[in-house]
mmCIF file of all heavy atoms in Angstrom:
data_model
loop_
_atom_site.group_PDB
_atom_site.id
_atom_site.type_symbol
_atom_site.label_atom_id
_atom_site.label_comp_id
_atom_site.label_asym_id
_atom_site.label_seq_id
_atom_site.Cartn_x
_atom_site.Cartn_y
_atom_site.Cartn_z
ATOM 1 N N SER A 115 -139.325 -14.828 -93.343
ATOM 2 C CA SER A 115 -140.498 -14.244 -92.678
ATOM 3 C C SER A 115 -140.128 -12.960 -91.945
ATOM 4 O O SER A 115 -140.937 -12.034 -91.867
ATOM 5 C CB SER A 115 -141.144 -15.248 -91.728
ATOM 6 O OG SER A 115 -140.256 -15.623 -90.710
ATOM 7 N N PHE A 116 -138.890 -12.877 -91.427
ATOM 8 C CA PHE A 116 -138.438 -11.620 -90.836
ATOM 9 C C PHE A 116 -138.427 -10.519 -91.893
ATOM 10 O O PHE A 116 -138.930 -9.408 -91.680
ATOM 11 C CB PHE A 116 -137.009 -11.766 -90.275
ATOM 12 C CG PHE A 116 -136.932 -12.374 -88.905
ATOM 13 C CD1 PHE A 116 -136.999 -13.744 -88.736
ATOM 14 C CD2 PHE A 116 -136.773 -11.587 -87.779
ATOM 15 C CE1 PHE A 116 -136.914 -14.311 -87.467
ATOM 16 C CE2 PHE A 116 -136.682 -12.148 -86.508
ATOM 17 C CZ PHE A 116 -136.759 -13.513 -86.363
ATOM 18 N N LYS A 119 -141.955 -9.531 -93.066
ATOM 19 C CA LYS A 119 -142.660 -8.721 -92.072
ATOM 20 C C LYS A 119 -142.138 -7.287 -92.093
ATOM 21 O O LYS A 119 -142.893 -6.322 -92.002
ATOM 22 C CB LYS A 119 -142.475 -9.333 -90.676
ATOM 23 C CG LYS A 119 -143.160 -8.573 -89.550
ATOM 24 C CD LYS A 119 -144.639 -8.521 -89.688
ATOM 25 C CE LYS A 119 -145.336 -9.534 -88.846
ATOM 26 N NZ LYS A 119 -146.810 -9.353 -88.861
ATOM 27 N N GLN A 120 -140.839 -7.114 -92.246
ATOM 28 C CA GLN A 120 -140.263 -5.770 -92.264
ATOM 29 C C GLN A 120 -140.712 -5.008 -93.518
ATOM 30 O O GLN A 120 -141.061 -3.830 -93.441
ATOM 31 C CB GLN A 120 -138.738 -5.854 -92.225
ATOM 32 C CG GLN A 120 -138.042 -4.551 -91.866
ATOM 33 C CD GLN A 120 -138.047 -3.537 -92.988
ATOM 34 O OE1 GLN A 120 -137.861 -3.892 -94.156
ATOM 35 N NE2 GLN A 120 -138.253 -2.263 -92.676
ATOM 36 N N THR A 123 -144.492 -4.026 -93.114
ATOM 37 C CA THR A 123 -144.876 -3.065 -92.070
ATOM 38 C C THR A 123 -143.943 -1.865 -91.971
ATOM 39 O O THR A 123 -144.281 -0.891 -91.312
ATOM 40 C CB THR A 123 -144.880 -3.757 -90.693
ATOM 41 O OG1 THR A 123 -143.547 -4.224 -90.416
ATOM 42 C CG2 THR A 123 -145.839 -4.937 -90.667
ATOM 43 N N ALA A 125 -141.258 -1.895 -90.306
ATOM 44 C CA ALA A 125 -140.803 -1.887 -88.907
ATOM 45 C C ALA A 125 -139.305 -1.605 -88.818
ATOM 46 O O ALA A 125 -138.539 -1.944 -89.712
ATOM 47 C CB ALA A 125 -141.122 -3.225 -88.241
ATOM 48 N N SER A 126 -138.911 -1.001 -87.690
ATOM 49 C CA SER A 126 -137.488 -0.755 -87.446
ATOM 50 C C SER A 126 -136.812 -2.003 -86.909
ATOM 51 O O SER A 126 -135.622 -2.221 -87.115
ATOM 52 C CB SER A 126 -137.322 0.380 -86.429
ATOM 53 O OG SER A 126 -137.908 1.554 -86.919
ATOM 54 N N ILE A 127 -137.575 -2.794 -86.168
ATOM 55 C CA ILE A 127 -137.032 -4.029 -85.587
ATOM 56 C C ILE A 127 -138.088 -5.119 -85.759
ATOM 57 O O ILE A 127 -139.273 -4.889 -85.513
ATOM 58 C CB ILE A 127 -136.722 -3.866 -84.072
ATOM 59 C CG1 ILE A 127 -135.696 -2.764 -83.852
ATOM 60 C CG2 ILE A 127 -136.220 -5.173 -83.476
ATOM 61 C CD1 ILE A 127 -135.435 -2.448 -82.372
ATOM 62 N N VAL A 128 -137.635 -6.293 -86.193
ATOM 63 C CA VAL A 128 -138.511 -7.464 -86.217
ATOM 64 C C VAL A 128 -137.864 -8.489 -85.298
ATOM 65 O O VAL A 128 -136.708 -8.857 -85.493
ATOM 66 C CB VAL A 128 -138.673 -8.042 -87.633
ATOM 67 C CG1 VAL A 128 -139.597 -9.250 -87.605
ATOM 68 C CG2 VAL A 128 -139.225 -6.992 -88.586
ATOM 69 N N THR A 129 -138.594 -8.905 -84.271
ATOM 70 C CA THR A 129 -138.019 -9.824 -83.299
ATOM 71 C C THR A 129 -138.766 -11.149 -83.319
ATOM 72 O O THR A 129 -139.986 -11.184 -83.480
ATOM 73 C CB THR A 129 -138.015 -9.188 -81.884
ATOM 74 O OG1 THR A 129 -137.453 -10.112 -80.963
ATOM 75 C CG2 THR A 129 -139.399 -8.818 -81.423
ATOM 76 N N GLY A 130 -138.023 -12.230 -83.177
ATOM 77 C CA GLY A 130 -138.636 -13.553 -83.154
ATOM 78 C C GLY A 130 -139.221 -13.823 -81.777
ATOM 79 O O GLY A 130 -138.600 -13.502 -80.764
ATOM 80 N N PHE A 172 -132.997 -13.566 -81.673
ATOM 81 C CA PHE A 172 -133.128 -13.728 -83.124
ATOM 82 C C PHE A 172 -133.917 -12.523 -83.618
ATOM 83 O O PHE A 172 -135.134 -12.471 -83.492
ATOM 84 C CB PHE A 172 -133.865 -15.031 -83.451
ATOM 85 C CG PHE A 172 -133.763 -15.477 -84.883
ATOM 86 C CD1 PHE A 172 -134.385 -16.656 -85.291
ATOM 87 C CD2 PHE A 172 -133.054 -14.760 -85.829
ATOM 88 C CE1 PHE A 172 -134.290 -17.108 -86.607
ATOM 89 C CE2 PHE A 172 -132.957 -15.200 -87.148
ATOM 90 C CZ PHE A 172 -133.578 -16.381 -87.535
ATOM 91 N N ARG A 173 -133.174 -11.522 -84.150
ATOM 92 C CA ARG A 173 -133.815 -10.259 -84.483
ATOM 93 C C ARG A 173 -133.255 -9.666 -85.767
ATOM 94 O O ARG A 173 -132.104 -9.892 -86.123
ATOM 95 C CB ARG A 173 -133.624 -9.231 -83.363
ATOM 96 C CG ARG A 173 -134.328 -9.618 -82.084
ATOM 97 C CD ARG A 173 -134.197 -8.570 -81.024
ATOM 98 N NE ARG A 173 -134.791 -9.058 -79.790
ATOM 99 C CZ ARG A 173 -134.387 -8.749 -78.583
ATOM 100 N NH1 ARG A 173 -133.371 -7.929 -78.424
ATOM 101 N NH2 ARG A 173 -134.975 -9.247 -77.517
ATOM 102 N N LEU A 174 -134.109 -8.872 -86.418
ATOM 103 C CA LEU A 174 -133.681 -8.095 -87.585
ATOM 104 C C LEU A 174 -133.820 -6.620 -87.214
ATOM 105 O O LEU A 174 -134.854 -6.203 -86.703
ATOM 106 C CB LEU A 174 -134.562 -8.435 -88.800
ATOM 107 C CG LEU A 174 -134.278 -7.697 -90.107
ATOM 108 C CD1 LEU A 174 -134.597 -8.584 -91.294
ATOM 109 C CD2 LEU A 174 -135.094 -6.417 -90.231
ATOM 110 N N TYR A 175 -132.778 -5.849 -87.479
ATOM 111 C CA TYR A 175 -132.790 -4.421 -87.154
ATOM 112 C C TYR A 175 -132.486 -3.614 -88.403
ATOM 113 O O TYR A 175 -131.672 -4.037 -89.232
ATOM 114 C CB TYR A 175 -131.689 -4.072 -86.146
ATOM 115 C CG TYR A 175 -131.714 -4.777 -84.819
ATOM 116 C CD1 TYR A 175 -131.135 -6.034 -84.657
ATOM 117 C CD2 TYR A 175 -132.251 -4.163 -83.687
ATOM 118 C CE1 TYR A 175 -131.121 -6.658 -83.434
ATOM 119 C CE2 TYR A 175 -132.238 -4.789 -82.450
ATOM 120 C CZ TYR A 175 -131.664 -6.038 -82.332
ATOM 121 O OH TYR A 175 -131.641 -6.652 -81.110
ATOM 122 N N ILE A 209 -141.779 -1.862 -83.630
ATOM 123 C CA ILE A 209 -141.279 -3.220 -83.433
ATOM 124 C C ILE A 209 -142.370 -4.205 -83.807
ATOM 125 O O ILE A 209 -143.518 -4.061 -83.382
ATOM 126 C CB ILE A 209 -140.862 -3.443 -81.957
ATOM 127 C CG1 ILE A 209 -139.828 -2.411 -81.530
ATOM 128 C CG2 ILE A 209 -140.306 -4.854 -81.766
ATOM 129 C CD1 ILE A 209 -139.515 -2.430 -80.038
ATOM 130 N N GLU A 210 -142.029 -5.182 -84.625
ATOM 131 C CA GLU A 210 -142.969 -6.248 -84.990
ATOM 132 C C GLU A 210 -142.390 -7.585 -84.523
ATOM 133 O O GLU A 210 -141.188 -7.703 -84.297
ATOM 134 C CB GLU A 210 -143.184 -6.285 -86.505
ATOM 135 C CG GLU A 210 -143.944 -5.099 -87.058
ATOM 136 C CD GLU A 210 -145.436 -5.183 -86.782
ATOM 137 O OE1 GLU A 210 -145.931 -6.298 -86.472
ATOM 138 O OE2 GLU A 210 -146.104 -4.133 -86.857
ATOM 139 N N GLU A 211 -143.278 -8.580 -84.416
ATOM 140 C CA GLU A 211 -142.843 -9.925 -84.009
ATOM 141 C C GLU A 211 -143.216 -10.948 -85.066
ATOM 142 O O GLU A 211 -144.234 -10.808 -85.750
ATOM 143 C CB GLU A 211 -143.516 -10.316 -82.686
ATOM 144 C CG GLU A 211 -143.005 -9.549 -81.479
ATOM 145 C CD GLU A 211 -143.548 -10.107 -80.182
ATOM 146 O OE1 GLU A 211 -144.773 -10.057 -79.972
ATOM 147 O OE2 GLU A 211 -142.739 -10.583 -79.367
ATOM 148 N N VAL A 212 -142.380 -11.965 -85.204
ATOM 149 C CA VAL A 212 -142.743 -13.122 -86.011
ATOM 150 C C VAL A 212 -142.547 -14.369 -85.152
ATOM 151 O O VAL A 212 -141.625 -14.415 -84.330
ATOM 152 C CB VAL A 212 -141.905 -13.249 -87.314
ATOM 153 C CG1 VAL A 212 -142.209 -12.121 -88.255
ATOM 154 C CG2 VAL A 212 -140.427 -13.321 -87.041
#
Side-chain angles (χ1 to χ4, degrees):
Chain A
S115 62
F116 277 81
K119 180 63 99 173
Q120 196 286 320
T123 62
S126 300
I127 300 174
V128 180
T129 180
F172 195 179
R173 294 183 185 148
L174 179 148
Y175 301 85
I209 304 172
E210 291 284 342
E211 289 188 296
V212 293

